[in-house]
Amino acid sequence: MRKVFGNGLLLGSRCLKRRRHRNLSPGADITVKGVLFKILANLNKDDPRSLIPLGHGDPSHFPCFRTTPHADDAVIQSIKSAKFNCYCPTISLPIARRAAAAYLSRDLPYQLNPTDVYLTLGCAQAIEVCLAALARPGANVLLPRPGFPSYEARCAFEGIEARHFDLLPDQNWQVDLHAVEALADENTVAMVIINPGNPCGNVFTYQHLQKVAETANQLGILVISDEVYGHLAFGDNPFVPMGVFGSIVPVLTLGSISKRWIVPGWRLGWLAVNDTNGILKQTGVTDSIEGYLNVICGPPTFMQGALPDILEKTSDVFFSRIVNVLKEDAEICYEKSKEISCIFCPHKPEGSMFVMVKLDTSKLDDIDDDMDFSLKLAKEESVITLPGMAVGMKNWLRITFAIDPPLLKEGLERIKAFTERHAKKQ
C-alpha cells in the first residue's frame, strides 16, 4: 500500500512556486459551449418552428423553473443596502463564508468552519482553483468518462495529465474502481466525481461513495467532488455529499447556487474543504488555494452579501417544486426515448438535468456519428442535442430534459420523426 497522502499532495501544494508555460493539449478546445455553438450555427433559419434546446443545462428561460422570490429579494436588498459596493477580501466575505459553511454542514456529521469555505465565481472557478492548487510538473488527475470537459481543459491549462476512468452504464453509471486503482501512480494527486451526475443523470449511493473514499484513501489521493447539482435528486437514491466521508479521505467539495436555485447567470459558487484530519492544511494545499485566490477575482461583493438570505430563507416548497418538475421531465424523457428505435437509454435519470442515451447509427442512413446526428437534427428539426463526443462518449447523446414538459415532449417527437426519416430501409 502506498503511503497515504504522501508526495502527490505534498508536491502538488507547491504549484504557486513553480508555475510553467501552459501548452494546451489538442483536445483542450472541446467544450460543451464550443460544440453547441457549432450545432447552433447549423440551424435552418427558415424553419418557422421554435427552437427546442435539449443540449445546454440552463432551465432559467422557462417559467416552470423560475427562481424563488426569496433569492430575488436577497439580491435586491443587498444592492439597496449599499453595504456591498466595495472590494471584498480575496478569500471571500466572512458573512458569506459563515452562511455557506452552515448550509453545507446541514448534511454532514460534523460542522464546517467558515475558514473551510471559499466563495468562487461560479463552480467553473472552483474547478480552476482546486486544480491550480494541485498542479505540479508530472502530476495527473483521474477524471470520469463520460464527464464534464471543463476538467480536461483546465488540466491541460495547468499542465496536469488527465487520465480517465469509466463510469459503468450497466451499473447505473457507478465508478469503475478497479480502473481507478490501475490508473493511479505516485504522481496522482486527485480523482474527480460528479454527483448527481452530469452528463449521466445518476445519483451515487452512500455505499458506493464510501467505497470511492476508501479507494482514494488507499491510493493516497484526495477526492474532488463536484456537487453543483446537489439535492437535485428524484429517484430511489437520496443525495449524499462526499464530505460525509471527510474523515476517511480529504475532499474538496465544489458547488454553487446556479442549479438548485436556477440562477446560473448569478455566478456564485464555492469550494469547501472537508478534511477532519487536517491533511490538506498540513501538506500546504489550503495555503495554495488561498494563494491562488489572492491573484484572481472572486464573485461580486453584492452577491456574496446576498448569500446568507438566499441560503437561509429559501423555502422547502420551492425546492420541492423544482425537483417535482425535473422528476416529471425525467419520466417523459425516459419513456419517450423508448419510442425511438435507434436510441437506447440504459437508466432512467435519477438526478441533475441530463441523461445519456446510446445512438445506434447502424439503423440510420446518411448519419456518420453522434456529431453528424446532432448537426442534421438541428438543421432539419430545430432541436439541439449534445453529441456524446463532447463528454467523452462517441456515438452517445446527452439530452438535457430541464425544460417545460410540453416542449420536452415536442422535442422528443421531433427526434423520433427525424430518426424515422433517416431510418435504413428494410
Side-chain angles (χ1 to χ4, degrees):
M1 181 186 300
R2 188 191 315 168
K3 181 180 178 182
V4 176
F5 310 112
N7 291 338
L9 284 184
L10 183 59
L11 293 176
S13 69
R14 298 173 184 163
C15 68
L16 292 178
K17 299 178 183 177
R18 301 199 291 185
R19 308 310 288 173
R20 74 215 70 73
H21 173 70
R22 272 81 169 198
N23 182 22
L24 295 182
S25 67
D29 59 343
I30 296 178
T31 64
V32 170
K33 289 182 179 179
V35 172
L36 289 175
F37 182 81
K38 181 177 180 180
I39 293 169
L40 283 164
N42 209 47
L43 286 169
N44 178 5
K45 296 180 175 57
D46 295 325
D47 190 339
R49 297 173 298 177
S50 61
L51 172 67
I52 300 182
L54 305 183
H56 195 349
D58 184 359
S60 62
H61 302 286
F62 304 101
C64 63
F65 286 104
R66 180 78 165 86
T67 194
T68 171
H70 293 295
D72 293 335
D73 292 342
V75 175
I76 292 168
Q77 291 306 314
S78 177
I79 294 172
K80 291 178 69 175
S81 74
K83 295 178 181 179
F84 305 107
N85 296 336
C86 54
Y87 290 121
C88 71
T90 56
I91 55 174
S92 320
L93 286 179
I95 60 167
R97 299 179 83 183
R98 279 198 302 271
Y103 168 74
L104 294 169
S105 296
R106 296 175 192 173
D107 302 310
L108 299 175
Y110 55 89
Q111 291 292 310
L112 288 171
N113 292 315
T115 53
D116 294 325
V117 181
Y118 306 93
L119 277 296
T120 58
L121 198 62
C123 195
Q125 192 180 64
I127 295 171
E128 171 189 346
V129 172
C130 66
L131 289 177
L134 294 172
R136 67 169 176 84
N140 67 75
V141 170
L142 310 184
L143 303 179
R145 181 175 52 210
F148 185 54
S150 287
Y151 285 95
E152 282 84 354
R154 181 51 57 179
C155 281
F157 186 80
E158 293 295 339
I160 300 173
E161 179 191 356
R163 299 181 178 181
H164 294 87
F165 59 85
D166 287 329
L167 303 180
L168 304 171
D170 59 343
Q171 297 180 36
N172 202 9
W173 300 105
Q174 289 188 352
V175 174
D176 184 346
L177 292 174
H178 295 299
V180 169
E181 293 173 348
L183 286 168
D185 61 21
E186 67 276 5
N187 291 316
T188 304
V189 294
M191 66 177 290
V192 173
I193 63 168
I194 304 173
N195 182 47
N198 174 13
C200 301
N202 59 300
V203 178
F204 293 133
T205 64
Y206 180 99
Q207 293 78 12
H208 186 62
L209 289 172
Q210 184 172 4
K211 290 179 181 178
V212 170
E214 291 167 350
T215 300
N217 176 288
Q218 179 183 349
L219 296 171
I221 61 178
L222 63 83
V223 177
I224 298 170
S225 185
D226 186 327
E227 298 173 7
V228 71
Y229 293 95
H231 294 282
L232 296 183
F234 37 82
D236 294 333
N237 299 329
F239 167 66
V240 177
M242 190 70 199
V244 166
F245 306 101
S247 62
I248 298 176
V249 64
V251 177
L252 295 178
T253 299
L254 316 184
S256 78
I257 64 171
S258 297
K259 308 301 183 180
R260 196 179 187 199
W261 276 264
I262 321 293
V263 287
W266 289 10
R267 311 309 300 148
L268 185 60
W270 52 75
L271 188 164
V273 179
N274 300 97
D275 179 23
T276 60
N277 298 312
I279 294 169
L280 300 185
K281 183 65 174 177
Q282 296 166 20
T283 55
V285 173
T286 52
D287 289 340
S288 285
I289 289 171
E290 294 184 7
Y292 191 80
L293 289 168
N294 279 330
V295 296
I296 62 174
C297 294
T301 312
F302 74 87
M303 284 303 308
Q304 295 188 45
L307 187 62
D309 280 355
I310 292 174
L311 297 180
E312 294 164 13
K313 294 185 178 180
T314 301
S315 70
D316 289 339
V317 173
F318 166 74
F319 293 135
S320 296
R321 177 175 65 80
I322 294 299
V323 168
N324 286 337
V325 176
L326 288 172
K327 184 176 183 179
E328 179 186 356
D329 277 344
E331 186 74 29
I332 291 169
C333 196
Y334 183 66
E335 292 301 325
K336 296 292 284 184
S337 69
K338 294 177 182 178
E339 301 175 8
I340 304 172
S341 62
C342 64
I343 284 176
F344 170 67
C345 180
H347 289 282
K348 183 190 298 185
E350 299 180 336
S352 78
M353 302 174 177
F354 310 101
V355 64
M356 287 292 285
V357 297
K358 188 170 179 58
L359 177 66
D360 186 354
T361 57
S362 69
K363 295 182 177 180
L364 300 171
D365 266 334
D366 303 321
I367 302 293
D368 297 329
D369 55 23
D370 52 331
M371 176 62 87
D372 193 36
F373 181 96
S374 293
L375 286 168
K376 290 175 178 174
L377 176 67
K379 188 169 188 175
E380 296 180 26
E381 296 290 346
S382 294
V383 175
I384 305 298
T385 57
L386 184 73
M389 54 80 64
V391 294
M393 294 279 278
K394 186 176 176 61
N395 286 337
W396 287 69
L397 301 170
R398 188 191 77 171
I399 295 177
T400 304
F401 52 78
I403 67 173
D404 278 332
L407 197 60
L408 176 61
K409 290 178 182 178
E410 182 182 346
L412 292 165
E413 285 292 341
R414 290 192 203 177
I415 294 176
K416 181 181 177 181
F418 172 82
T419 58
E420 288 175 349
R421 191 162 60 250
H422 286 271
K424 281 188 176 178
K425 305 300 184 287
Q426 301 298 318

